[in-house]
Amino acid sequence: MSGNITFTMIKPNAVSKGFMGQIITKIAEGGFTIKALKFTRLSKEQAEMFYAVHKDRPFFDALTDFMSSGPIYAAILEKENAVEAYRNYIGATNPEEAAEGSIRKLYGTNIQANAVHGSDSDENAIIEGNFFFSELEKF
Ligand code: ADP
Ligand code: MG
């Protein structure tokens, strides 16, 4: 059975362009309930920890530079089948390949600066949510 929790970040490119309000509205319109929300910034070391699974990929250093380059929003979202539903909703990793109307298509700059993160499994959704939020910060 699939879980009802996923984790997202609004990435630095989308925040610096002022898209956070529109993206949060779009998240709500998609039927996702916000269980936790934080405006914060990752250090390079924290970005490396968060994306450790990608440490051997050629884009790792550029990705962690980018993700620590400015403030982000981190959020825990709830919906039935949240992980898959949210990944479908945000669109493909590369905004050029993302479906019309998806968050990455609307607000992504390129394959790296693709506006938002979405967890890839129920297990990672919990790990990623706990990376940013204490139990008291989850509603
Ligand atoms: P997703 O975020 O869709 O789950 P991945 O987990 O494969 O995608 O990659 C994590 C993040 O790394 C992506 O969201 C994107 O910011 C960046 N990324 C992925 N592939 C590339 C690439 N080929 N070149 C540059 N950055 C990439
Ligand atoms: Mg991923």
Side-chain angles (χ1 to χ4, degrees), residues 20-64:
M20 52 281 191
Q22 288 158 85
I23 291 173
I24 288 169
T25 297
K26 186 121 175 96
I27 287 170
E29 284 171 354
F32 298 88
T33 304
I34 295 176
K35 307 293 286 182
L37 179 64
K38 181 177 288 187
F39 185 51
T40 186
R41 183 176 179 158
L42 291 169
S43 66
K44 172 80 169 169
E45 292 70 27
Q46 287 170 322
E48 287 171 351
M49 266 189 270
F50 185 89
Y51 283 108
V53 56
H54 293 308
K55 66 179 177 340
D56 297 324
R57 307 282 283 279
F59 58 78
F60 181 71
D61 193 49
L63 173 64
T64 53

Side-chain angles (χ1 to χ4, degrees), residues 5 83 119-129:
I5 290 293
V83 165
S119 303
D120 65 3
S121 68
D122 293 340
E123 188 191 3
N124 284 336
I126 301 305
I127 292 169
E128 291 171 358

Side-chain angles (χ1 to χ4, degrees), residues 11 51 54 57 59 63 66-67 87 90-93 104 111-114 116-118 120:
K11 297 186 179 185
Y51 283 108
H54 293 308
R57 307 282 283 279
F59 58 78
L63 173 64
F66 162 63
M67 287 302 297
R87 287 185 71 88
I90 65 178
T93 305
R104 283 172 163 171
I111 193 169
Q112 173 181 266
N114 55 4
V116 287
H117 169 82
D120 65 3

Side-chain angles (χ1 to χ4, degrees), residues 7-10 15 24 34-41 71-76 129-134 137-138:
F7 170 80
T8 189
M9 290 183 284
I10 303 176
V15 175
I24 288 169
I34 295 176
K35 307 293 286 182
L37 179 64
K38 181 177 288 187
F39 185 51
T40 186
R41 183 176 179 158
I72 60 158
Y73 286 78
I76 296 173
N130 288 338
F131 188 93
F132 284 91
F133 298 102
S134 70
E137 293 173 306
K138 298 174 190 169

